[in-house]
Amino acid sequence: LQPPEKPLQDEEWNRLRENFRLPELFEEVMLNSMIKCNSHVDVAKSLLTHMAKRNGDVAYNMLVKYLTLCVQQGQVSEIRDVYDIMKVRFKILEIGAYSLLIKGLTNSDQWRMALTILEEAKKTMIPSRTSYESCIKAANRHQEMKLAFELYHEMLAKNVVPTLDVLQSFFDFSTGMKGAELQKELFGILLYLRENQIYPHKTFMRSIKLWFESIPGGNWRGHLTNIKDSGQCPVCNHQLEDSNLSEEEYNNLSERIIRDVIHGTDTFRKTTPQEFEAFQTFVESRLPFDIVIDGLNVSHIKPRKMQCENLFDAINCLAKENVRLLVLGRKHMLINSSNWKREIMKEMQNKADFFFADNISEDDAFLLYATLRSGKHCKFVTRDFLRDHKACLSDSLTRHLFRKWQRGHQIVLKAMFFSVFSQQPAFRYDCVVQTTGDTWHIPYKDVFEEKYSYRVPRKWLCVQQK
Amino acid sequence: MQSANMLLKKIVRNSVLPFAAQHGMKKDLFPLSRTLSLSLCRKQDNSCTPSEKLDLDAWKKVMKSGLQEEVSETVSEPKELSSLAAARETLEMWRLAGRSVPEKMSEEQLKAFMECPSKSAKKKYLRFLYLKELYKKNDKRKMEEKRERKLEAQEQTSKTEEISKSPFVCLWASTMDKAYNWRAAQSMIFGQPLVFDMSFENEMSVREVANTVKQLVLSEGCNRRSVDPFHIHFCNFNDDSLYHKEFLKHYREAWGKLLITVTDQCYTEVFPKDKLIYLTADSPKVMKTFDHDKIYIVGSMVDKSIKTGVSLARAKRLGLETAALPLEKYLLWNTGAKNLTLDQMMRILLTLKDTADWKKALEFVPKRKYCGFVNKPVSELKKTLDLINTLKLGKRQQEVQKEFAKNYSKK
């Protein structure tokens, strides 16, 4: 349905309506296509006039659609008119209309009105994050930083997650401004990124850099760099935080793994109490290990080879002088079969400790437990991302801890040609926003949307105070 | 005039006078203003029509003309709404905005709505209620249409009066019921037990429990109508459970007269352990034949949130034997989870008991979940499956192969 070019008279609308397949939906479909084609407001107005004359009323959803059109074209006076009509017509509005009004008004000089609308919206529901976003941006644009930060903190308190755009706007509009309070707030945002393991994208990183360099009398200098595998920043020679967890975090994490991942709602779902106990005594008697291997996972690396050969190669590749290995497997590996030859299994058992779980138990949970029990130096080998185990953890804080620990302790084996394994080593340094007071190191993503959440950025922004 | 009216409204709202005084004031002031404003608008409307030029803001006048009447109403109500009323108000606005919101909501539903933890949960709940309402309405409409047709038909038959003679009094339904009950009673003495494990209430949401009970009612129905029914046991059944409440909703007074055994005991207390087999899709063992001497256990659980291994954990804890239906052996599995609904399980088990024919029994697996029965060597089937998928579904070849490899790796 093509909306007309010019405002139409009643008769003309009537004619169009009669020619339409479903006359009762005519107005709705027409307004929708007007929004899609971005028709002139006058055309929509003439349709509303036609409706008002026909029915003596314009339905709420039609008003909202008209409002959408006005917002799309930034017709502020129209938005205000519609709001006036709605306000007296209806006791409260719904969240969609509130969002539209806020979005429409924040882009004009009447942005303060949007704040009162936001207050009104709060009475019935938590406003959407886009509503907060437009209000904060408007406040930033008008240099009302205090107000903007109030809204930002309110948003966080209500568990509404801010977009990177909002955070960026804080930096963009604070460039060149002075004030210890403001600086503290912006550092707060950087720490928010740290706590939630969020990485800014390239343009956001530029805003941060510019802001740092523009602080009057701050003498901050920013450089883009790649951090070495050792964790040293090539620009300022500063050693980044290592990926080890603190004592408390470590204990917390291992407790939670046992509680949430291994036991969960029912210990019998992943193992049995007897088996877990047996495993515990087994691990305790042989602690500590240096590398824990997920036997079954590793044995599938090269599909053309026998599974026990794959495992054998991997063990040979990892077993260097005095490295204590633990291989986790299942009992079916012990039965002589085409994939698991008894002689090779015997040979492997000389090189590493083995624990065989029941065939219906989950060995991954044991892998996590054994690694955590062995201590901070211990690494584990699997190609699994362990996402299902991470999902078992109940709160996001522990999940972040798990991610961090996983990054620092997981070794991934990859099969290459000529029967060699390439190892992707665990990270030595922690990949989060970090500061020492006079330096900031901020990892950033090259592109806006990173496809894989488990991949951490390799590029960093180093900011230091001279 | 309008601005004057708004001013009045503001004065009334902001006044510190007690409510009664407000009320009195309103009565004095507003009727006057309303009539005035209305007449004003009417005049404007009249002035519009003669001129040929289009007045684009005419709709605003119409909208505003109506609202003076409502101004007086809004003022008369107390300003602070209770949270329930406020929720009702919001829902009404959503409905006006064209969202899927039911027209009528009971107090209980409104409370459930407000207790939803997130926005999306609220949306989902509303949509569920909306659809429910829609189905109910449609059913009602259809019933009425049917009644009308029946009446018409009756009128026609009454014209051509004709009584057919038959040796039996027409009492089909109750006679059938008696026959079924007789069989069910016999099964309670001589029949093979079938256990439903009712210990999963904590694992399920309220809606899942409701769905479970619906499925159990269906299963009980088809068991009763079968030639040789099972003796159904509901084990681990507590009288103060949600299950019980839902059953009462479905059966009402018939709940007490059902020819099944309901007990709060565990199946291990009722039957010898070595005869029990727990049926669960997670079991590593695959059922080969239906054993008439064994007692099969089915977990009464609807699992929408994918909790794998819950029923297997029960069996492991009690050290029972487990088994899964040989779905992969007989069916070329396509999509969907391998756990079946309780009534499908019941039909499959009944058919197995009567005929021992897997093909016949597995007809009750929903057709969308499989492509066909396995009757050729696996490699050939793989080809046809690939062909079907690439032609029909447009699935990527690799994905299909992976799926296939997963399902048939052991053979």
Side-chain angles (χ1 to χ4, degrees):
Chain A
L1 189 64
Q2 194 69 29
E5 305 272 308
K6 281 179 297 182
L8 298 185
Q9 296 283 353
D10 281 344
E11 305 85 64
E12 291 168 292
W13 280 123
N14 269 332
R15 210 173 308 133
L16 274 178
R17 190 184 145 97
E18 273 151 27
N19 288 338
F20 189 61
R21 262 182 305 128
L22 297 159
E24 51 297 355
L25 289 178
F26 171 72
E27 282 93 358
E28 207 175 331
V29 176
M30 184 51 100
L31 270 173
N32 277 343
S33 72
M34 280 182 192
I35 294 169
K36 209 193 267 167
C37 305
N38 209 6
S39 303
H40 197 272
V41 191
D42 283 347
V43 185
K45 272 187 187 172
S46 78
L47 179 60
L48 287 186
T49 309
H50 167 68
M51 266 191 269
K53 279 187 190 153
R54 261 178 71 93
N55 314 324
D57 190 17
V58 179
Y60 179 76
N61 58 343
M62 297 299 158
L63 284 179
V64 174
K65 282 197 203 313
Y66 177 63
L67 189 62
T68 316
L69 193 67
C70 294
V71 170
Q72 202 169 302
Q73 301 178 1
Q75 305 269 2
V76 182
S77 66
E78 280 303 307
I79 295 171
R80 288 211 54 168
D81 277 353
V82 176
Y83 177 53
D84 285 339
I85 289 173
M86 281 182 164
K87 205 165 62 177
V88 201
R89 228 19 212 318
F90 307 101
K91 239 179 277 172
I92 51 167
L93 306 184
E94 43 82 54
I95 208 88
Y98 281 132
S99 305
L100 277 173
L101 286 167
I102 290 169
K103 198 174 158 201
L105 290 171
T106 44
N107 283 325
S108 70
D109 48 356
Q110 311 206 351
W111 64 279
R112 274 185 195 282
M113 210 173 129
L115 296 179
T116 54
I117 296 176
L118 185 73
E119 285 304 313
E120 217 173 295
K122 269 184 232 162
K123 281 182 203 158
T124 49
M125 244 197 171
I126 297 173
S128 65
R129 75 175 189 174
T130 45
S131 302
Y132 271 115
E133 187 178 324
S134 8
C135 283
I136 291 175
K137 274 188 180 166
N140 271 332
R141 215 174 298 128
H142 295 87
Q143 298 290 322
E144 296 254 7
M145 302 314 269
K146 210 176 157 200
L147 176 69
F149 275 111
E150 258 171 41
L151 285 172
Y152 167 69
H153 289 304
E154 182 185 307
M155 188 175 178
L156 291 186
K158 286 188 176 163
N159 266 332
V160 184
V161 181
T163 54
L164 286 182
D165 251 22
V166 172
L167 303 180
Q168 189 184 346
S169 83
F170 279 114
F171 287 93
D172 280 341
F173 290 103
S174 315
T175 315
M177 274 171 54
K178 221 177 162 170
E181 193 62 32
L182 181 70
Q183 203 167 321
K184 211 179 117 195
E185 289 279 16
L186 287 167
F187 283 161
I189 292 180
L190 290 177
L191 292 176
Y192 173 81
L193 295 181
R194 174 190 167 88
E195 270 151 35
N196 295 286
Q197 303 194 12
I198 301 169
Y199 309 115
H201 48 82
K202 211 168 185 174
T203 47
F204 187 5
M205 177 277 297
R206 276 204 202 102
S207 303
I208 296 173
K209 183 167 176 273
L210 279 178
W211 173 73
F212 265 112
E213 288 171 346
S214 77
I215 298 173
N219 277 329
W220 290 93
R221 278 289 151 270
H223 298 275
L224 303 187
T225 177
N226 292 313
I227 301 289
K228 294 176 197 162
D229 278 344
S230 62
Q232 202 182 36
C233 172
V235 181
C236 60
N237 291 328
H238 172 72
Q239 183 69 34
L240 291 191
E241 284 174 40
D242 66 20
S243 57
N244 286 334
L245 306 183
S246 73
E247 203 63 43
E248 196 192 333
E249 286 173 329
Y250 205 85
N251 292 337
N252 195 359
L253 183 64
S254 32
E255 243 170 65
R256 295 296 294 277
I257 294 261
I258 293 174
R259 202 184 80 196
D260 292 347
V261 180
I262 297 179
H263 292 307
T265 51
D266 188 349
T267 317
F268 284 93
R269 277 175 74 175
K270 290 196 171 152
T271 169
T272 60
Q274 293 91 335
E275 190 184 32
F276 184 58
E277 210 172 289
F279 178 68
Q280 268 180 318
T281 46
F282 170 85
V283 170
E284 299 300 329
S285 64
R286 293 167 201 228
L287 279 177
F289 299 103
D290 297 311
I291 297 177
V292 184
I293 301 169
D294 183 347
L296 278 174
N297 187 293
V298 166
S299 71
H300 282 98
I301 285 183
K302 287 182 205 159
R304 309 224 156 199
K305 264 189 152 179
M306 222 193 296
Q307 288 175 8
C308 63
E309 272 186 329
N310 273 333
L311 184 58
F312 190 60
D313 288 349
I315 288 173
N316 280 337
C317 165
L318 291 164
K320 284 165 198 137
E321 61 283 357
N322 291 331
V323 173
R324 288 180 48 83
L325 297 177
L326 169 64
V327 181
L328 292 168
R330 294 216 180 102
K331 288 204 170 122
H332 72 78
M333 291 157 76
L334 287 170
I335 299 164
N336 206 4
S337 66
S338 60
N339 261 323
W340 298 98
K341 290 276 172 264
R342 191 164 284 158
E343 309 86 66
I344 303 181
M345 286 303 287
K346 277 240 173 76
E347 211 177 325
M348 279 193 275
Q349 274 165 303
N350 291 332
K351 297 197 174 192
D353 281 312
F354 272 75
F355 183 83
F356 297 99
D358 279 336
N359 292 341
I360 49 171
S361 296
E362 275 205 37
D363 47 358
D364 286 353
F366 292 149
L367 176 87
L368 297 177
Y369 177 78
T371 317
L372 280 165
R373 271 303 288 141
S374 297
K376 285 178 184 174
H377 70 285
C378 182
K379 308 265 194 290
F380 63 96
V381 182
T382 175
R383 282 186 305 174
D384 199 310
F385 291 115
L386 306 172
R387 278 179 274 218
D388 43 346
H389 302 291
K390 194 187 76 171
C392 290
L393 297 167
S394 47
D395 64 312
S396 61
L397 194 72
T398 329
R399 268 184 241 151
H400 281 314
L401 275 186
F402 182 78
R403 253 298 164 66
K404 183 179 170 185
W405 175 76
Q406 189 188 0
R407 270 204 302 269
H409 293 82
Q410 181 166 13
I411 301 173
V412 180
L413 282 184
K414 275 185 196 149
M416 308 278 280
F417 304 105
F418 317 119
S419 81
V420 198
F421 288 115
S422 82
Q423 280 181 41
Q424 187 192 308
F427 275 96
R428 292 226 193 122
Y429 56 94
D430 191 14
C431 197
V432 285
V433 176
Q434 44 195 280
T435 178
T436 55
D438 57 351
T439 62
W440 280 87
H441 287 90
I442 299 162
Y444 67 92
K445 299 184 286 192
D446 242 344
V447 274
F448 181 69
E449 280 292 335
E450 195 76 31
K451 199 174 169 194
Y452 304 103
S453 63
Y454 57 87
R455 248 183 220 166
V456 287
R458 309 304 290 258
K459 297 192 170 173
W460 289 71
L461 167 69
C462 160
V463 200
Q464 52 177 329
Q465 201 165 24
K466 285 269 155 60
Chain B
M1 191 59 237
Q2 273 154 26
S3 59
N5 209 355
M6 292 295 275
L7 194 72
L8 277 176
K9 202 180 100 191
K10 260 184 199 161
I11 294 170
V12 173
R13 278 199 175 155
N14 295 341
S15 68
V16 280
L17 295 170
F19 182 66
Q22 238 183 59
H23 211 71
M25 205 160 119
K26 185 213 84 190
K27 262 186 193 159
D28 293 340
L29 289 174
F30 280 87
L32 183 75
S33 63
R34 188 201 301 166
T35 46
L36 269 178
S37 69
L38 271 180
S39 59
L40 187 79
C41 285
R42 230 171 268 139
K43 255 181 223 157
Q44 276 175 345
D45 269 340
N46 289 339
S47 67
C48 263
T49 33
S51 69
E52 274 303 304
K53 215 180 152 277
L54 207 58
D55 181 9
L56 290 172
D57 287 335
W59 64 277
K60 287 183 194 167
K61 281 169 208 149
V62 175
M63 290 300 285
K64 281 177 184 167
S65 72
L67 46 93
Q68 260 70 32
E69 292 174 64
E70 273 159 54
V71 167
S72 52
E73 280 165 31
T74 40
V75 173
S76 69
E77 271 173 46
K79 254 206 105 184
E80 283 303 310
L81 289 162
S82 72
S83 59
L84 269 181
R88 214 174 261 285
E89 201 82 16
T90 330
L91 288 181
E92 182 57 29
M93 290 316 290
W94 280 1
R95 213 172 62 75
L96 285 179
R99 293 216 211 174
S100 322
V101 175
E103 271 174 43
K104 285 175 209 143
M105 264 176 100
S106 69
E107 201 95 318
E108 212 173 305
Q109 286 169 334
L110 208 59
K111 268 180 197 150
F113 163 75
M114 282 165 66
E115 275 159 18
C116 288
S118 68
K119 267 188 199 173
S120 59
K122 280 182 181 167
K123 250 187 229 167
K124 266 187 205 159
Y125 183 63
L126 284 179
R127 194 172 161 71
F128 162 70
L129 290 179
Y130 169 76
L131 287 177
K132 209 167 131 186
E133 197 184 67
L134 206 70
Y135 292 141
K136 230 180 195 172
K137 247 190 232 163
N138 276 342
D139 283 351
K140 211 174 171 187
R141 205 197 59 222
K142 275 181 201 160
M143 285 283 277
E144 257 156 37
E145 277 171 19
K146 206 175 166 187
R147 196 183 300 147
E148 267 170 38
R149 251 181 284 139
K150 220 178 183 177
L151 279 176
E152 263 174 45
Q154 258 177 14
E155 267 173 38
Q156 277 182 355
T157 46
S158 65
K159 277 171 199 164
T160 55
E161 192 90 18
E162 200 177 289
I163 304 163
S164 59
K165 284 195 175 172
S166 152
F168 301 118
V169 189
C170 197
L171 275 173
W172 277 105
S174 63
T175 342
M176 288 308 277
D177 273 348
K178 256 179 211 158
Y180 288 146
N181 280 338
W182 177 249
R183 264 191 224 150
Q186 259 185 331
S187 83
M188 281 192 77
I189 309 168
F190 306 112
Q192 182 180 3
L194 178 73
V195 177
F196 283 98
D197 181 5
M198 314 291 275
S199 62
F200 295 100
E201 199 178 299
N202 297 334
E203 312 276 350
M204 287 189 281
S205 68
V206 178
R207 246 172 91 186
E208 282 171 337
V209 174
N211 289 350
T212 308
V213 168
K214 219 181 253 174
Q215 292 179 11
L216 284 171
V217 171
L218 278 176
S219 336
E220 191 272 327
C222 50
N223 183 55
R224 198 182 338 151
R225 273 186 282 280
S226 73
V227 188
D228 181 19
F230 282 108
H231 176 193
I232 295 182
H233 284 74
F234 287 166
C235 288
N236 292 323
F237 188 94
N238 289 322
D239 273 344
D240 53 350
S241 62
L242 208 53
Y243 280 122
H244 190 199
K245 232 163 117 192
E246 286 290 328
F247 270 122
L248 286 181
K249 249 189 225 169
H250 276 281
Y251 281 117
R252 313 248 167 98
E253 31 324 325
W255 171 246
K257 295 178 203 155
L258 279 183
L259 293 168
I260 55 175
T261 303
V262 179
T263 167
D264 59 345
Q265 280 179 309
C266 186
Y267 28 85
T268 45
E269 295 164 35
V270 184
F271 302 105
K273 239 182 185 179
D274 55 320
K275 283 208 160 183
L276 292 169
I277 295 182
Y278 210 117
L279 292 176
T280 161
D282 295 319
S283 170
K285 272 181 217 144
V286 174
M287 201 166 151
K288 288 217 175 68
T289 50
F290 182 86
D291 195 333
H292 294 269
D293 294 327
K294 296 277 186 190
I295 294 148
Y296 290 97
I297 308 168
V298 180
S300 307
M301 180 181 176
V302 168
D303 174 18
K304 282 190 177 161
S305 53
I306 317 173
K307 289 174 178 149
T308 42
V310 172
S311 51
L312 184 65
R314 294 283 138 94
K316 262 160 103 183
R317 183 191 293 278
L318 299 166
L320 298 178
E321 210 179 307
T322 60
L325 291 182
L327 296 175
E328 270 147 35
K329 195 177 159 198
Y330 290 96
L331 300 174
L332 202 51
W333 202 259
N334 187 22
T335 51
K338 302 232 165 67
N339 47 3
L340 303 176
T341 61
L342 300 172
D343 52 311
Q344 285 159 11
M345 261 334 252
M346 181 56 119
R347 282 168 205 269
I348 289 171
L349 289 175
L350 279 171
T351 320
L352 279 179
K353 190 160 89 110
D354 293 345
T355 63
D357 182 352
W358 279 106
K359 210 175 155 185
K360 223 172 175 181
L362 295 181
E363 286 282 350
F364 293 109
V365 176
K367 295 276 182 291
R368 65 173 186 280
K369 288 194 176 184
Y370 63 94
C371 298
F373 281 88
V374 175
N375 47 8
K376 289 179 231 168
V378 169
S379 59
E380 252 177 74
L381 281 173
K382 185 175 172 290
K383 268 184 222 158
T384 43
L385 181 65
D386 278 358
L387 203 67
I388 288 168
N389 277 320
T390 42
L391 286 178
K392 270 192 191 166
L393 307 167
K395 259 194 191 177
R396 271 179 298 136
Q397 195 107 10
Q398 222 178 356
E399 233 169 76
V400 177
Q401 270 170 5
K402 236 187 239 169
E403 187 86 350
F404 190 85
K406 208 174 75 196
N407 288 345
Y408 294 94
S409 58
K410 286 146 215 157
K411 283 150 214 165

